[in-house]
Amino acid sequence: MSDLAAALVPPAPAVPARDLPLPIFLFSFLRNTISTYPDHAFELLVGRARVLGIDSLLLNDPEGVRRVLVEAREHYRRPVSVIRAIRPVVGDGLFLAEGEVWKRQRRSLAPAFTPVAVGELIPHFQAAGEGLLRRLEGRAGANLSMEFHTTALDAVLRALFSLTPEDADRDVALIVRRYIAGPGRPNLLDGLARSEDDFAFAGASRRRFRKPWFAAVDRIVAERRSGVQPARRDLLALLLEVRDPETGAPLSDAEIRDQTATMLLAGFETTSRLLFWASYLLALDLPTQARVRAEVRAHPVEAVAGSADIEPWPALREVLLETLRLYPPIANLLRTAVADDEVAGEAIGPGTQVWISPWVIHRHRRFWDQPTAFLPSRFRGQRSPWTGGAFMPFGMGPRICIGAAFAMTEAEMVLASLLGRYSIGLDSRRRVLPVANVTTRPSFEPTFSLERS
Ligand code: HEM
């Protein structure tokens, strides 16, 4: 049977037939941003609306997206609503930096994320996968969403900070989970705010998280400064070595903390979502799961020594790419114009908010055949399919995710470990829906059955 005949259409929120009335739109948007896109959003190239007095553009046109994220990117900034929600936990790290400061930061951090550097991290990803198998040993079922959170945090702590689960601070995962489920979600006041400091009273719950979170991050840095040196240079070593090209000054403690916090937060929450959705899809599509298992058994994860050894897992790679298409961990990229511009024939003025939604673009009827179906084979033979403009789970242009290769390699290693040992299924037929606020999380965390095979 061909893939097309067998196509599985996995769960997604119902698509409203037309634009929702404002009160319903706001209510739905705050619960789940991706539940508000009406049917025609998946057909049009550019759409315009005024929401809460803000001129808003939904941009699907690949040329227009390129204009905003690449060619004219100096005319756009991350919007206040996003900054308010994440500044308390990432400070002035790479994600929120702008202009020359951003350029300098990105240049300093890039060496930790090159393909060669990521290839050297493979033993850490292997160790994170082994940790997952140890925790699953002897169990017939597991909450894999939770397990992947632990695994992805473990991978980041090992790979970027040379910390093992024994010496790492496990509170970090708990703090991030609580933040993202609670005060980290953008709220109505974020949408109304015109500056980071507006409605300061409403930021109290976010500020409360700052203290324990930064304390946990500070402990990671303090441990390194106390003298224990890792076997290889890691991200933290790079940060401690960075010098200002003009003054020769090292990064301040606050700068090191902000970068560390940024990488921790950006590095594990998103990848754990990718691991979850890939497992969910494979539990729904058992023939594809069997194909991937045969592949990872033929080239076992223990034998992988460098990134070249991952090449014999093309089916696994296709599944991950298709998962990123159907359930992009970051569902919306937002920019606010700070200057006049023209995009896809639309005049843009300062203050216009541009919505570039991987969720919509990845399910767009003009760009994809059977856009809602799970068809990993559509990515056959495409190792890096991010160039066309219709597939952008890691963003686009100079601010594309610095950790993309890290995330893909980690996900391949962890899933190869899991599927090499277990057949996974779902204990219940209840559909898991994607809910996008900060990242695209499951509507509930199902129990997966685990059968040693
Ligand atoms: C599946 C996993 C991941 C996904 C889907 C993802 C997605 C993204 C996206 C879409 C952006 C661009 C946001 C925008 O332009 O508004 C981004 C930026 C970023 N990501 Fe990732 N990411 C992932 C994993 C990681 C990992 C593993 C790290 C670090 C270890 C990381 C660190 C960052 C940082 C620091 C930025 C900001 C880059 C800059 O502005 O220069 N991400 N990510």
Side-chain angles (χ1 to χ4, degrees):
M1 198 164 27
S2 77
D3 269 352
L4 287 184
L8 158 81
V9 176
V15 176
R18 56 191 68 84
D19 287 325
L20 295 170
L22 186 65
I24 298 177
F25 169 84
L26 289 176
F27 179 74
S28 310
F29 182 82
L30 292 173
R31 290 161 54 119
N32 186 2
T33 58
I34 58 179
S35 67
T36 55
Y37 290 112
D39 191 69
H40 63 91
F42 299 88
E43 296 274 0
L44 53 73
L45 291 179
V46 60
R48 198 153 200 163
R50 263 194 107 67
V51 182
L52 296 176
I54 301 173
D55 182 31
S56 306
L57 203 76
L58 174 66
L59 187 58
N60 294 331
D61 176 49
E63 283 311 309
V65 170
R66 200 175 301 284
R67 167 116 198 122
V68 171
L69 296 182
V70 186
E71 290 147 16
R73 67 185 185 85
E74 300 297 342
H75 295 180
Y76 299 89
R77 293 276 183 275
R78 295 202 195 286
V80 165
S81 55
V82 171
I83 299 174
R84 286 166 61 95
I86 64 170
R87 175 89 73 201
V89 278
V90 302
D92 299 325
L94 187 68
F95 199 87
L96 291 186
E98 293 288 356
E100 283 306 311
V101 176
W102 169 79
K103 265 192 203 153
R104 197 160 27 84
Q105 291 189 4
R106 181 105 188 185
R107 223 179 299 127
S108 319
L109 297 170
F113 294 98
T114 61
V116 173
V118 170
E120 286 170 12
L121 302 178
I122 279 179
H124 298 297
F125 300 144
Q126 251 157 353
E130 284 160 16
L132 171 67
L133 293 186
R134 266 197 305 280
R135 292 195 304 279
L136 298 181
E137 188 62 47
R139 290 164 63 183
N143 173 347
L144 285 183
S145 172
M146 188 89 106
E147 289 300 337
F148 288 143
H149 235 101
T150 307
T151 308
L153 177 65
D154 188 10
V156 169
L157 287 172
R158 284 174 188 275
L160 298 183
F161 305 106
S162 301
L163 288 171
T164 59
E166 294 73 49
D167 39 39
D169 192 333
R170 308 316 299 180
D171 289 353
V172 168
L174 202 63
I175 296 170
V176 171
R177 271 175 87 86
R178 287 203 188 125
Y179 190 78
I180 285 174
R185 292 164 59 166
N187 56 41
L188 194 56
L189 293 178
D190 294 325
L192 292 168
R194 294 293 174 266
S195 89
E196 230 179 307
D197 303 323
D198 285 358
F199 312 116
F201 62 89
S205 58
R206 289 176 179 157
R207 286 191 295 274
R208 267 198 301 278
F209 266 83
R210 225 182 142 98
K211 216 170 152 194
W213 165 246
F214 279 167
V217 175
D218 284 343
R219 280 196 290 277
I220 293 176
V221 181
E223 191 161 321
R224 174 66 58 83
R225 286 201 197 274
S226 73
V228 189
Q229 291 308 311
R232 48 166 273 283
R233 282 172 79 242
D234 59 7
L235 182 86
L236 202 45
L238 257 175
L239 289 172
L240 293 168
E241 282 166 17
V242 169
R243 294 290 176 271
D244 186 296
E246 274 149 37
T247 63
L251 295 183
S252 69
D253 285 355
E255 284 171 308
I256 291 179
R257 186 200 55 209
D258 288 355
Q259 295 301 5
T260 305
T262 297
M263 292 302 167
L264 272 175
L265 187 76
F268 90 96
E269 167 65 20
T270 43
T271 315
S272 76
R273 298 304 184 206
L274 167 60
L275 287 165
F276 170 81
W277 289 112
S279 301
Y280 182 62
L281 288 165
L282 288 173
L284 295 179
D285 183 346
L286 297 177
T288 301
Q289 187 186 146
R291 268 202 300 281
V292 172
R293 180 169 309 97
E295 183 181 88
V296 299
R297 287 229 171 121
H299 300 277
V301 70
E302 304 80 40
V304 173
S307 26
D309 296 330
I310 294 180
E311 301 284 333
W313 293 340
L316 176 55
R317 177 101 184 167
E318 286 165 19
V319 165
L320 286 170
L321 294 172
E322 182 68 338
T323 305
L324 286 168
R325 186 184 71 84
L326 283 170
Y327 297 116
I330 307 282
N332 305 294
L333 310 182
L334 270 74
R335 295 293 189 269
T336 298
V338 291
D340 289 328
D341 196 13
E342 192 184 314
V343 172
E346 295 285 327
I348 304 281
T352 298
Q353 194 156 103
V354 181
W355 285 75
I356 298 171
S357 169
W359 173 264
V360 175
I361 292 174
H362 290 181
R363 290 167 177 258
H364 201 282
R365 295 176 201 128
R366 294 205 202 179
F367 307 150
W368 304 92
D369 282 339
Q370 295 194 268
T372 53
F374 176 58
L375 290 170
S377 61
R378 69 172 90 236
F379 286 105
R380 192 145 297 158
Q382 300 181 47
R383 190 136 181 98
S384 299
W386 348 95
T387 45
F391 184 59
M392 41 180 311
F394 294 106
M396 190 190 281
R399 295 207 76 142
I400 196 167
C401 177
I402 198 170
F406 181 112
M408 289 303 285
T409 310
E410 174 192 334
E412 282 168 301
M413 295 294 293
V414 170
L415 279 183
S417 304
L418 179 70
L419 298 170
R421 182 163 305 175
Y422 293 106
S423 295
I424 57 173
L426 286 161
D427 269 6
S428 140
R429 293 171 73 94
R430 191 174 150 205
R431 284 152 43 95
V432 182
L433 286 165
V435 178
N437 311 107
V438 183
T439 56
T440 306
R441 65 182 167 85
S443 52
F444 70 99
E445 296 186 325
T447 301
F448 285 74
S449 60
L450 301 169
E451 193 182 320
R452 212 161 161 152
S453 55

